[in-house]
Amino acid sequence: MDGDAFAFHDLAPTEENFREAVLGGLAREPKALPCKLFYDAQGSKLFDAICQVPEYYLTRTEIGILERHAGDIAGRIGPHARLIELGSGASIKVRILLQALENPVAYVPVDISRDHLRDAAALLAADFPELAVVAVCADYTRPFTLPPLPGPVGKRVGFFPGSTIGNFEPDGVVAFLEHCGRLLGPGGEMIVGADLKKDPAILNAAYNDAAGTNAAFNLNLLGRINRELGGDIDLDRFAHVATYNEVAGRVELYVRSLADQVIGAAGQRFRLSAGELIHTENSYKYSIPHFHELAARAGFRPIETWTGPAHLFSVHYLRRG
């Protein structure tokens, strides 16, 4: 592999940012921890495992949509594109687009999990030796500056797959897409995956798989507090909770305290009662018109929307302006 084909830029939040988020979240009433804290190296591996469980339809459904429509998507993007993936994880889905694109010049994976990002980006760079891979370790939900990108001038296209857009509150979706618009610049385009509203039984099964992988992922956040902040949390005294709130249109994730207890993190103590919940994530499910409305508020026009045969999931092609 050409030594210039892979670059790594570390803009990741510091341990102090993690400490402040944890202590602030545990001091709140009700207690809540931001879902972006899930993704240390262990959390990222557990999420990759979730994507393989039978009940979790989201990943395989979106991959099917991308495979069926890769030619259409590549045609809209055109040659010499710079593809910027926010929350790139293992960089699996982007391979479908990279293989379909005409002479893409750069791929920019952006993720908060440093080691997971470095490994995934290096592997992709080895598999696409003609492609410049410029990895950026950053909290992609906050403003950051893209490094200089090599190659001839081409379109900047944002790629935001999965159902991560559902982790934002609806007004937060607008703010995030506005942030993406600034990052991509005039004429920027985006490919966004958004989960759709459906039978609550399907949703509840997806987030409560029989093998307990979702539970391990959720509880790993407490384990991360132990590892990085000197916590003394007994994970066996907590349980994973995931339920669909049909009124709000979202799956809600919590960890529930199974006893009256006091936990420690970063030298501070926090009291929990039996049954008390710590909120860890929301995952909103959308109708297509509602998602288009939010995108329009952020300055993006919906150009095309694809769904699978069972109408479980949607992939949207958006254009700024």
Side-chain angles (χ1 to χ4, degrees), residues 170 197 248 284-297:
K197 292 185 175 181
Y284 279 85
K285 312 304 173 184
Y286 286 105
S287 69
I288 290 173
H290 188 192
F291 185 76
H292 284 176
E293 175 194 334
L294 296 176
R297 286 172 53 193

Side-chain angles (χ1 to χ4, degrees), residues 29-305:
E29 294 297 339
K31 294 177 173 58
L33 296 169
C35 63
K36 65 185 177 183
L37 303 184
F38 280 135
Y39 296 99
D40 66 340
Q42 179 66 11
S44 295
K45 290 177 183 176
L46 284 166
F47 182 75
D48 290 345
I50 286 173
C51 294
Q52 303 300 318
V53 302
E55 300 94 331
Y56 196 80
Y57 62 87
L58 293 91
T59 303
R60 65 177 177 270
T61 302
E62 185 176 32
I63 286 173
I65 294 169
L66 292 172
E67 287 176 340
R68 280 191 297 276
H69 299 287
D72 295 341
I73 296 170
R76 291 192 179 280
I77 293 174
H80 310 305
R82 294 168 165 83
L83 200 58
I84 300 158
E85 183 174 11
L86 303 170
S88 54
S91 294
I92 292 172
K93 297 169 190 171
V94 75
R95 291 169 177 265
I96 300 167
L97 299 185
L98 290 172
Q99 288 166 351
L101 285 171
E102 180 184 351
N103 299 320
V105 297
Y107 168 57
V108 185
V110 184
D111 203 273
I112 200 169
S113 181
R114 181 184 290 105
D115 294 340
H116 197 60
L117 170 65
R118 190 189 300 272
D119 292 345
L123 182 61
L124 188 138
D127 290 343
F128 292 84
E130 303 303 316
L131 181 71
V133 177
V134 183
V136 179
C137 186
D139 178 355
Y140 62 83
T141 68
R142 302 174 69 86
F144 69 96
T145 301
L146 286 173
L149 302 179
V153 174
K155 189 182 294 182
R156 283 187 177 186
V157 179
F159 185 45
F160 197 50
S163 62
T164 312
I165 197 76
N167 295 150
F168 297 96
E169 295 297 309
D171 284 347
V173 171
V174 177
F176 174 70
L177 290 177
E178 289 174 338
H179 157 59
C180 292
R182 290 188 292 270
L183 194 68
L184 297 171
E189 298 177 348
M190 285 199 72
I191 302 156
V192 182
D195 201 13
L196 297 175
K197 292 185 175 181
K198 59 184 64 67
D199 184 346
I202 297 174
L203 292 167
N204 284 318
Y207 291 84
N208 293 283
D209 63 288
T213 313
N214 277 279
F217 172 72
N218 199 8
L219 292 168
N220 177 68
L221 179 47
L222 302 182
R224 182 183 180 189
I225 293 171
N226 285 346
R227 292 188 294 272
E228 297 186 24
L229 298 180
D232 60 1
I233 303 170
D234 182 352
L235 272 60
D236 290 335
R237 303 188 85 193
F238 288 87
H240 162 72
V241 177
T243 185
Y244 181 58
N245 181 332
E246 198 159 0
V247 174
R250 68 193 184 203
V251 174
E252 298 173 354
L253 268 65
Y254 304 89
V255 289
R256 176 189 286 131
S257 176
L258 299 176
D260 293 337
Q261 58 180 311
V262 177
I263 61 173
Q268 297 192 29
R269 312 297 289 171
F270 302 92
R271 186 175 301 278
L272 292 98
S273 58
E276 185 172 353
L277 299 171
I278 303 174
H279 180 255
T280 54
E281 182 180 270
N282 286 331
S283 184
Y284 279 85
K285 312 304 173 184
Y286 286 105
S287 69
I288 290 173
H290 188 192
F291 185 76
H292 284 176
E293 175 194 334
L294 296 176
R297 286 172 53 193
F300 281 92
R301 290 186 293 116
I303 302 301
E304 186 68 78
T305 296

